[in-house]
Amino acid sequence: MTTTERDTPVRLTQFAHGGGCACKIPPGELEDVLGGLLRPAMAAADTTLLVGLDTGDDAAVVTLPAAGGAPAQAVVSTADFFTPVVDDPYDWGRIAAANALSDVYAMGGRPIVAVNLLAWPRDVLPFDLAREVLRGGLDIATEAGCHVGGGHSVDDPEPKYGMAVTGLADPARLLRNDAGRPGLPLSLTKPLGLGVLNNRHKATGERFEQAVATMVALNRDASTAALAAGATCATDITGFGLLGHLHKLARASKVTAVIDTAAVPYLDGAREAVRDGYVSGGTRRNLEWVAPSTDFGDTDADTRLLLADAQTSGGLLVAGEVPGAPVVGELVVGGEYSVVLR
């Protein structure tokens, strides 16, 4: 495969049991595992760890002590990788890199350096495809102004790719999922429907350019705009869907999130993909997880699935107004439910 080709006879999605962020461990199971791994009480006074496991935020954040009169800085650390979400290896690399970098942007940081994480079935898939995956990741990191300094690879029966990313942020201007407060509007910076379109692509081979363009788009400008608008609360929408990530934000902030379902944007073809049954198991597990904490009102079944759709490299959900992004709801005083659909 040459560096300019975009089509390949190898369908990478057929070598994975799932695709993209839909392969995440279900949120309920993950919380059960992580529940016993929170910081012990004797370490609670350690103020260098600003964001850890406690609220299930997008990345870990630690402070660096100020030295020589320089302002204090925060280091943002995250890792994200997944199985192929599209068949084109270059596009998969771009999508996986944009998705990994997104966690830094979701905290209000800027990525500085990343290392590749690659699992490859070396006896099954040619390495020139792996090179295209890595090239895609490098191109997106370069666009973000982020160094790529090597990485780690393993021989694995299933292809997987992503990055571990380190970024910097102002510790006084972080975007956190526990900083929401009643009265703030909710803005969504990318449309939903990535999961169902990717699932349709995996099943049929149809290519959805609007989905690829959305997934490779960096959340850098949205993060910058959110900070400029004075926002302090945000999260990115990935494998747990809008409802799952919104539930985590509302729970951490001790508020209720009210969503205007008519205001939520969707990619072209998303509703048709749901109608035709291209819904991943991850999306259905998301919906099952949030159901006890959600007042669905009279929202129809297809819309519920789209709101829980497992996104890959989705947008930011910001508690505040972001220029150019639709307002899809608001935060109100906490009530019986963490999420209410209207």
Side-chain angles (χ1 to χ4, degrees):
M1 180 172 181
T2 70
T3 58
T4 59
E5 283 181 294
R6 289 294 176 270
D7 296 317
T8 173
V10 177
R11 294 202 57 208
L12 287 175
T13 56
Q14 304 309 297
F15 291 85
H17 73 282
C21 290
C23 285
K24 278 189 173 182
I25 293 174
E29 294 180 21
L30 188 61
E31 288 192 346
D32 288 344
V33 171
L34 296 178
L37 299 177
L38 297 179
R39 287 177 292 165
M42 65 179 181
D46 182 359
T47 58
T48 61
L49 182 64
L50 294 182
V51 181
L53 281 172
D54 307 62
T55 63
D57 216 325
D58 297 296
V61 182
V62 297
T63 54
L64 290 178
Q73 286 187 311
V75 176
V76 184
S77 181
T78 185
D80 210 313
F81 64 98
F82 46 67
T83 54
V85 69
V86 292
D87 289 326
D88 185 282
Y90 178 77
D91 283 344
W92 175 34
R94 293 196 297 157
I95 292 164
N99 182 75
L101 295 168
S102 180
D103 283 339
V104 175
Y105 294 131
M107 302 302 301
R110 58 187 181 91
I112 300 299
V113 63
V115 291
N116 291 307
L117 303 172
L118 178 69
W120 201 256
R122 48 185 294 274
D123 293 330
V124 178
L125 291 174
F127 263 116
D128 62 341
L129 297 183
R131 182 183 186 280
E132 286 297 285
V133 175
L134 294 170
R135 186 172 72 88
L138 178 61
D139 281 357
I140 286 295
T142 300
E143 180 184 342
C146 177
H147 297 290
V148 178
H152 184 67
S153 62
V154 295
D155 188 352
D156 191 289
E158 191 173 56
K160 303 176 184 71
Y161 174 66
M163 287 178 163
V165 187
T166 301
L168 293 176
D170 181 344
R173 300 183 68 226
L174 292 175
L175 298 174
R176 304 174 55 131
N177 72 353
D178 62 353
R181 63 181 188 274
L184 288 174
L186 291 168
S187 300
L188 182 62
T189 67
K190 287 185 183 182
L192 302 182
L194 293 164
V196 290
L197 290 179
N198 288 338
N199 213 38
R200 185 165 205 153
H201 169 70
K202 177 178 170 64
T204 68
E206 296 174 77
R207 183 176 169 87
F208 299 98
E209 297 294 345
Q210 71 275 27
V212 173
T214 298
M215 289 185 287
V216 302
L218 293 172
N219 281 326
R220 173 184 55 198
D221 293 346
S223 178
T224 300
L227 289 171
T232 59
C233 178
T235 188
D236 65 343
I237 307 304
T238 55
F240 300 152
L242 175 64
L243 290 182
H245 290 286
L246 186 58
H247 165 61
K248 291 176 67 177
L249 184 151
R251 184 179 61 183
S253 298
K254 298 180 174 58
V255 296
T256 290
V258 179
I259 294 296
D260 176 3
T261 57
V264 177
Y266 299 101
L267 288 165
D268 290 343
R271 282 200 174 272
E272 291 78 5
V274 173
R275 178 200 64 198
D276 295 339
Y278 295 102
V279 179
S280 69
T283 291
R284 296 189 186 279
R285 290 189 292 270
N286 289 341
L287 190 57
E288 180 181 1
W289 180 58
V290 301
S293 305
T294 303
D295 178 359
F296 291 103
D298 59 0
T299 307
D300 64 86
D302 284 359
T303 299
R304 296 183 189 190
L305 286 168
L306 281 169
L307 293 173
D309 188 37
Q311 305 297 279
T312 296
S313 194
L316 299 186
L317 180 71
V318 179
E321 291 196 42
V322 177
V327 172
V328 298
E330 64 175 335
L331 299 180
V332 301
V333 175
E336 179 181 358
Y337 297 98
S338 62
V339 179
V340 174
L341 304 184
R342 291 180 179 165

